[in-house]
Amino acid sequence: MRLIEPPGVTHRHVTVDDGCRIHVAEAGTGAPLVLLHGWPQHWYAWRDVIGPLAERFRVICPDLRGLGRSDAAGTDWSLRRLARDVTGVMDALGVDRCGVVGHDWGAVIGYRLALDQPGRVTRLMPMAAPHPWASLGAHPRQVWRPWHVYTAALLGRANNTWLQVPRTCLRTWRRAGAFTPDEEEAYCAVMRRPDARRATARYNRNLIVREVPYFVANARRLTLTLPILHLNGAEDPLTQRLSPAYRTYAPAMRLRDLPGCGHYIAEERTTALIDAVTTFFEPPATAGDPT
């Protein structure tokens, strides 16, 4: 398996409050920008955007707990715990406030971080995920679209190994282009490791048992005032027909669908994402709302 490392990227591990070691890939200087990957990926999902973004930002790409090169300490895979991992990384790197881009798992963790500690997030760009108000007026099919959540929660090890659900998701959720065999294996090899298998099962069980019921019960009490640009692929099978209810609870939020794009925005619409990040996180001083 031969992978091309993006130039200028450095790697380190930092330790967060409960002793878990989190791997971080970094590049560039300037305003800090944290990129949170999704499942079944790790920091390498950002390989095509790190270089261009590092020309303007200090790009910080943690591996989520239990995925990539990060440890899988403890048994807590709640969104609040994973959001504290992000602030733990920020603290270790001397970052008080930052912009946050999150994909898939990273998107919902980004929302939780902004809800829990809004003073630490300047702007938020979630991608390829539902928003916290998705249950308000949700289309009935939205319940069954994330089928992988149920298989991961119920089947444990079998989900990542003999059923090869990660590989299926990499192949079927992408609409523009395709992952090379080496890229597929870079992600799937990690998913076969015991830590990643446990993280996958525990995260999704928590999602079903605690997180979804919480957001359904509390959606009308959740508000965000920071600028948010939520990007979804217009052909992403996981995010079709999301509720417009966010307009009431997040007045500075915009939701945009990228045409001809599936789930993996950073790899399918690389240039469009770089342009969107640059515009959104560095808005012209004389312009209005860039979204």
Side-chain angles (χ1 to χ4, degrees):
M1 182 173 60
R2 182 178 301 173
L3 296 178
I4 300 174
E5 179 90 3
V9 174
T10 61
H11 298 269
R12 70 168 97 179
H13 280 82
V14 302
T15 303
V16 297
D17 62 302
D18 70 343
C20 185
R21 294 173 70 250
I22 302 294
H23 167 255
V24 184
E26 299 176 82
T29 58
L33 183 66
V34 173
L35 309 184
L36 303 174
H37 67 86
W39 185 93
Q41 299 181 287
H42 43 72
W43 77 270
Y44 198 68
W46 306 111
R47 64 194 175 281
D48 295 327
V49 304
I50 291 177
L53 293 180
E55 296 175 6
R56 296 174 177 265
F57 304 98
R58 180 187 179 186
V59 182
I60 301 167
C61 306
D63 280 337
L64 301 182
R65 177 180 294 241
L67 302 182
R69 305 180 197 174
S70 290
D71 293 345
T75 59
D76 186 358
W77 263 264
S78 67
L79 295 182
R80 282 203 162 101
R81 171 65 264 174
L82 297 177
R84 289 200 303 275
D85 287 348
V86 179
T87 54
V89 169
M90 293 168 61
D91 291 342
L93 300 183
V95 173
D96 181 48
R97 302 177 74 232
C98 66
V100 175
V101 179
H103 175 262
D104 189 82
W105 281 22
V108 293
I109 294 167
Y111 273 122
R112 185 73 266 175
L113 174 59
L115 287 164
D116 287 350
Q117 301 189 61
R120 305 210 62 178
V121 182
T122 57
R123 291 183 166 225
L124 176 64
M125 182 180 285
M127 304 190 301
H131 53 67
W133 308 275
S135 64
L136 302 177
H139 190 278
R141 292 182 182 176
Q142 194 65 40
V143 175
W144 302 110
R145 286 196 178 105
W147 56 268
H148 65 294
V149 170
Y150 307 108
T151 64
L154 294 172
L155 300 177
R157 175 179 179 177
N159 185 78
N160 286 18
T161 54
W162 67 269
L163 287 180
Q164 297 192 48
V165 172
R167 194 177 303 275
T168 298
C169 294
L170 290 168
R171 292 179 177 179
T172 61
W173 294 348
R174 183 164 179 167
R175 295 293 185 266
F179 294 105
T180 69
D182 282 346
E183 289 168 344
E184 271 191 20
E185 185 58 16
Y187 300 131
C188 292
V190 172
M191 289 297 107
R192 291 192 293 268
R193 296 201 317 239
D195 282 356
R197 297 198 305 262
R198 286 194 296 269
T200 298
R202 289 170 177 169
Y203 174 91
N204 286 290
R205 288 168 188 163
N206 174 75
L207 200 66
I208 293 170
V209 173
R210 295 185 178 87
E211 307 295 354
V212 171
Y214 170 85
F215 282 103
V216 170
N218 294 280
R220 289 183 172 85
R221 290 192 285 270
L222 302 176
T223 59
L224 286 172
T225 59
L226 79 165
I228 302 171
L229 176 58
H230 188 131
L231 299 179
N232 285 330
E235 298 180 31
D236 185 345
L238 302 182
T239 57
Q240 300 295 306
R241 300 182 184 179
L242 282 186
S243 166
Y246 67 88
R247 295 168 182 162
T248 300
Y249 305 97
M253 175 174 164
R254 301 292 181 270
L255 194 152
R256 181 181 302 167
D257 288 334
L258 297 177
C261 183
H263 187 67
Y264 302 100
I265 294 173
E267 290 146 314
E268 296 185 56
R269 295 293 304 277
T270 303
T271 300
L273 178 58
I274 293 168
D275 291 345
V277 169
T278 302
T279 301
F280 184 62
F281 289 97
E282 286 192 345
T286 57
D289 185 351
T291 65

